[in-house]
């Protein structure tokens, strides 16, 4: 039996040395160390040996098994290394070749303008308040001094889901919601960006869906002069340090007094051109002092607190800033249009 074990060891080591791949090596492993292999048969036949021979044969069998196992592991490591070297040689990369450029995306012009406006107001101490696009009639209209049947609602005809649920027509509902959360205690200083919806006919200057950014400040002793100073700073940061603004009387149900805000033309420096239609001024947003009814409905004492609000359309600002003549370009995903802003 000793001679048989030595012979098995010799045969196994020889076949291991001849193995050219991992499959052939595994076949050797199974043939010699498997459950039906010859070494296992030797161990099973030890019962027929004299008792004094069994320990010697058992130790020799384990020695042979260990030697074969070590040889298999060494050969496997060698074959795996050879395989890696073959793959590296076959898949070699010439690192001196220039890399293939990866086409990167770019912020949409509207996203760029919205983020620029957000950064500007955050720098002035405002926080960003966002809310649902599907809104209740109460927050979209009634809490903003637009009761049911009010004729001013006609200017904001919307998409109704039920009689009390609609797609919001402005981001003003977030002003009412935020004031309610403050429970009548100031200060409140927020901007509200987001998408809004109105049942409008799409053309070069109108869209049934567009974006809006509104601002709200409520505190003690807030004045019209605070509003004008804020918007002048906004205009100069966005359109250039030489800009000025002017107020024109207007009407909004949720502010009193209300104004339209114009900025001095950044194309002609107020001399008159096609952009400003010869007036030297460009209308950019609406604003006013928060109506006392809006403050009271939100839980604020209108005799103690005052505030101002403003609202603008990023599409209009982007069209003015980048010279875009059709609002529909923003929503058509035309790469010819979007690629113009890669380096803006």
């Amino acid at each position: 039996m000793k001679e048989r074990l030595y012979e098995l060891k010799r045969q196994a080591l020889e076949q291991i040395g001849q193995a050219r791949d991992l499959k052939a090596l595994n076949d050797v492993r199974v043939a010699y160390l498997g459950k039906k292999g010859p070494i296992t048969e030797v161990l099973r036949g030890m019962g027929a040996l004299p008792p004094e021979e069994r320990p010697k044969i058992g130790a020799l069998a384990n020695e042979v098994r260990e030697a074969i196992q070590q040889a298999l592991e060494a050969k496997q490591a060698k074959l795996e290394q050879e395989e890696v070297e073959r793959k590296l040689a076959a898949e070699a990369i010439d690192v001196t070749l220039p890399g293939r450029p990866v086409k990167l995306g770019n912020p949409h012009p509207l996203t760029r303008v919205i983020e620029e406006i957000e950064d500007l107001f955050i720098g002035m101490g405002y926080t960003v308040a966002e809310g649902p696009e599907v809104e209740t009639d109460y927050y979209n209209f009634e809490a903003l001094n637009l009761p049911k049947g009010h004729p001013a609602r006609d200017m904001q005809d919307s998409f109704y889901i039920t009689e009390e649920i609609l797609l919001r027509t402005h981001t003003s509902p977030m002003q009412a919601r935020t004031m309610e959360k403050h429970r009548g205690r100031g200060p409140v200083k927020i901007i509200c960006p987001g998408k809004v919806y109105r049942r409008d006919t799409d053309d070069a200057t109108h869209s049934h869906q567009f974006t809006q950014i509104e601002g709200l400040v409520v505190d003690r002793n807030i004045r019209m002069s605070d509003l004008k100073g804020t918007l002048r700073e906004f205009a100069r940061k966005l359109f250039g340090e030489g800009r000025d603004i002017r107020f024109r009387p207007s009407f909004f149900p949720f502010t009193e007094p209300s104004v339209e805000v114009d900025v001095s033309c950044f194309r002609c420096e107020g001399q008159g051109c096609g952009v400003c239609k010869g007036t030297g001024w460009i209308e950019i947003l609406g604003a006013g002092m928060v109506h006392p009814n809006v403050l009271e409905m939100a839980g604020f004492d209108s005799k103690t607190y005052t505030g101002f609000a403003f609202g603008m359309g990023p599409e209009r600002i982007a069209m003015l800033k980048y010279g875009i003549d059709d609002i529909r370009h923003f929503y058509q995903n035309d790469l010819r249009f979007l690629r113009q802003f890669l380096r803006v």
Side-chain angles (χ1 to χ4, degrees):
M1 191 167 288
K2 287 182 181 180
E3 288 75 11
R4 174 155 175 74
L5 285 171
Y6 285 130
E7 180 62 19
L8 288 173
K9 179 180 177 182
R10 185 192 66 78
Q11 292 175 357
L13 294 179
E14 183 179 344
Q15 291 182 30
I16 290 171
Q18 294 173 352
R20 292 290 177 266
D21 54 45
L22 292 173
K23 182 180 182 306
L25 187 66
N26 190 60
D27 291 342
V28 176
R29 184 194 308 277
V30 173
Y32 285 91
L33 300 183
K35 292 182 179 180
K36 298 181 180 180
I39 294 179
T40 303
E41 290 181 1
V42 169
L43 293 173
R44 287 175 180 170
M46 287 177 58
L49 296 174
E52 64 273 12
E53 292 291 325
R54 292 173 190 170
K56 297 177 182 179
I57 297 300
L60 179 59
N62 287 332
E63 179 184 323
V64 170
R65 179 193 291 272
E66 184 66 23
I68 295 173
Q69 184 64 39
Q70 290 179 358
L72 286 167
E73 291 174 357
K75 184 67 173 182
Q76 180 176 342
K78 181 180 178 182
L79 290 174
E80 288 175 347
Q81 180 62 30
E82 290 175 353
E83 180 66 19
V84 169
E85 291 174 357
R86 279 196 299 272
K87 286 184 176 180
L88 287 174
E91 302 172 6
I93 299 174
D94 185 351
V95 295
T96 65
L97 287 173
R100 295 182 178 88
V102 177
K103 292 184 179 179
L104 300 177
N106 195 66
H108 190 280
L110 275 183
T111 301
R112 192 187 300 274
V113 167
I114 290 170
E115 290 179 349
E116 184 178 357
I117 295 172
E118 287 178 346
D119 289 345
L120 193 159
F121 280 102
I122 289 171
M124 289 194 278
Y126 288 69
T127 58
V128 177
E130 297 179 324
E133 294 176 20
V134 179
E135 190 54 273
T136 64
D137 184 271
Y138 175 78
Y139 283 112
N140 196 81
F141 291 124
E142 294 181 47
L144 300 170
N145 204 34
L146 281 160
K148 293 184 185 300
H150 195 293
R153 286 196 181 201
D154 294 341
M155 294 187 296
Q156 297 189 24
D157 196 9
S158 182
F159 300 93
Y160 281 83
I161 298 169
T162 69
E163 289 187 1
E164 298 298 327
I165 303 293
L166 69 155
L167 298 182
R168 67 182 181 186
T169 61
H170 44 192
T171 58
S172 301
M174 276 310 298
Q175 298 184 20
R177 289 178 178 273
T178 302
M179 284 192 289
E180 278 189 359
K181 290 179 181 178
H182 279 253
R183 300 181 181 277
R185 293 189 296 272
V188 178
K189 199 172 184 182
I190 60 170
I191 57 168
C192 311
K195 287 185 287 187
V196 299
Y197 307 84
R198 296 184 188 179
R199 203 182 71 178
D200 228 335
T201 301
D202 290 5
D203 58 27
T205 57
H206 297 85
S207 174
H208 66 281
Q209 173 193 300
F210 54 98
T211 58
Q212 194 175 62
I213 296 179
E214 297 193 6
L216 172 71
V217 174
V218 176
D219 204 351
R220 300 172 189 269
N221 301 316
I222 297 295
R223 302 179 178 88
M224 196 77 160
S225 57
D226 299 315
L227 170 62
K228 189 166 187 178
T230 298
L231 295 182
R232 181 188 287 118
E233 180 68 10
F234 160 74
R236 289 177 176 175
K237 292 292 185 183
L238 198 66
F239 296 110
E241 290 298 330
R243 303 282 65 76
D244 200 1
I245 62 170
R246 71 176 184 182
F247 285 174
R248 291 181 289 107
S250 186
F251 167 76
F252 302 109
F254 27 82
T255 53
E256 179 62 39
S258 304
V259 294
E260 297 286 354
V261 183
D262 302 334
V263 62
S264 57
C265 184
F266 48 87
R267 300 282 180 177
C268 66
E269 299 296 332
Q271 299 303 308
C273 66
V275 173
C276 62
K277 299 178 182 178
T279 66
W281 296 91
I282 303 171
E283 180 185 329
I284 57 169
L285 56 87
M289 301 301 292
V290 179
H291 198 292
N293 290 350
V294 175
L295 291 170
E296 295 287 346
M297 283 188 285
F300 281 82
D301 183 353
S302 61
K303 295 180 181 179
T304 304
Y305 286 95
T306 54
F308 64 73
F310 55 86
M312 67 192 78
E315 283 90 345
R316 174 161 177 76
I317 292 174
M319 291 172 76
L320 290 170
K321 191 170 184 178
Y322 300 135
I324 299 167
D325 60 2
D326 195 322
I327 193 174
R328 291 169 291 192
H329 290 317
F330 292 123
Y331 306 112
Q332 292 173 339
N333 295 326
D334 189 333
L335 292 179
R336 294 170 300 177
F337 170 75
L338 297 175
R339 286 184 181 129
Q340 297 177 58
F341 301 91
L342 289 176
R343 293 181 177 87
V344 171

